[in-house]
Amino acid sequence: MNKINYQKQTDTIIDGIVKSGEAPKLLLHSCCAPCSSYTLEYLSQYFDITVFYFNPNISPKSEFDKRLAEQKRLIEQLPSKNSIKLVAGNYDYNEFLTVAKGYEDAPEGGERCFRCYRMRLEKTAALAKEKGFDYFCTTLSISPLKNSQKINEIGILTAERYGVKWLPSDFKKREGYKRSIELSRQYNLYRQNFCGCVYSKKESEKENINE
């Protein structure tokens, strides 16, 4: 199966935006400040963005709060052509435990992760529909460890279900991930080597032991 170049699809949408002279409203799900850094730098040239920090997969609550504080700080400090706002979703770790149930032993990057993507994208799409956003999207595709094909597949299906447009993306393209590392250093952003859930943390600790 050939992989779809979602960056090219993003380019086509942005070309239309540039021609229109309007800045559509985008609800951007963000997992953390480092992953959102390049994404915001890039997309805020064309969209009026509201960042939706919704990540009940992160534990403990102190980790969730620390990442949220860094997300807020980055938005306050990052220059942007169009406005960037922040909305923080509710934290209920049981939401994540429910979608992960039965998949606790699934490999990192597998079905448990796909279910977690879907949980967060469905919440984002529902809010985008409720508040009248033109598009919704997520920063998740910037990570080389995340399956961008699956993220977009879930995003497209979710968009159809909720009746709001999905912004296709693969933010690691064009050295987006590299730029996110540079911006993380520039703004001294707090970052971790795991996505936030207890399972990814165990996996990263196991890898560190084996090194």
Side-chain angles (χ1 to χ4, degrees):
M1 183 176 178
N2 293 329
K3 288 186 176 181
I4 298 171
N5 189 327
Y6 288 105
Q7 179 60 57
K8 284 189 176 180
Q9 295 187 7
T10 311
D11 291 341
T12 299
I13 292 170
I14 286 176
D15 285 346
I17 291 169
V18 171
K19 289 175 183 175
S20 74
E22 302 286 335
K25 294 192 298 179
L26 170 67
L27 185 63
L28 178 68
H29 166 263
S30 175
C31 53
C32 61
C35 286
S36 73
S37 58
Y38 163 74
T39 310
L40 290 173
E41 181 183 65
Y42 169 45
L43 293 181
S44 65
Q45 300 174 72
Y46 313 105
F47 295 89
D48 182 357
I49 300 174
T50 296
V51 173
F52 183 40
Y53 180 84
F54 173 70
N55 302 290
N57 56 304
I58 296 174
S59 66
K61 178 66 160 50
S62 57
E63 178 73 16
F64 174 92
D65 290 339
K66 191 167 187 176
R67 295 190 189 199
L68 175 57
E70 285 294 85
Q71 182 71 79
K72 182 178 180 182
R73 181 172 69 86
L74 175 65
I75 291 171
E76 290 171 348
Q77 295 179 3
L78 188 72
S80 63
K81 178 181 176 181
N82 294 302
S83 70
I84 304 175
K85 307 179 190 72
L86 174 65
V87 171
N90 292 331
Y91 179 78
D92 182 356
Y93 190 54
N94 286 325
E95 283 190 74
F96 171 67
L97 293 179
T98 298
V99 301
K101 188 175 182 180
Y103 297 88
E104 294 88 349
D105 296 325
E108 187 68 12
E111 186 59 35
R112 184 186 62 248
C113 295
F114 300 159
R115 292 169 68 86
C116 185
Y117 301 162
R118 189 175 297 111
M119 171 190 67
R120 290 182 280 176
L121 287 178
E122 286 194 350
K123 187 74 74 170
T124 306
L127 183 60
K129 180 68 173 179
E130 177 189 342
K131 300 297 183 181
F133 282 85
D134 299 300
Y135 292 89
F136 76 104
C137 190
T138 180
T139 63
L140 289 169
S141 71
I142 199 168
S143 171
L145 301 177
K146 298 288 191 294
N147 186 330
S148 60
Q149 298 292 308
K150 193 67 179 181
I151 291 166
N152 280 280
E153 177 187 315
I154 293 169
I156 291 165
L157 291 173
T158 304
E160 292 173 355
R161 188 176 303 119
Y162 286 87
V164 60
K165 286 187 284 189
W166 167 253
L167 180 67
S169 63
D170 191 352
F171 295 122
K172 70 177 73 63
K173 296 283 190 182
R174 297 179 185 163
E175 299 194 324
Y177 179 68
K178 179 181 177 182
R179 178 59 179 158
S180 75
I181 298 295
E182 293 170 353
L183 287 167
S184 294
R185 290 189 184 122
Q186 180 180 335
Y187 289 94
N188 193 29
L189 296 176
Y190 169 72
R191 60 186 297 127
Q192 282 283 11
N193 62 347
F194 63 98
C195 80
C197 81
V198 65
Y199 308 109
S200 64
K201 186 174 184 180
K202 285 179 182 176
E203 190 69 26
S204 73
E205 289 172 346
K206 189 190 303 180
E207 288 176 2
N208 288 336
I209 290 171
N210 293 332
E211 285 179 355

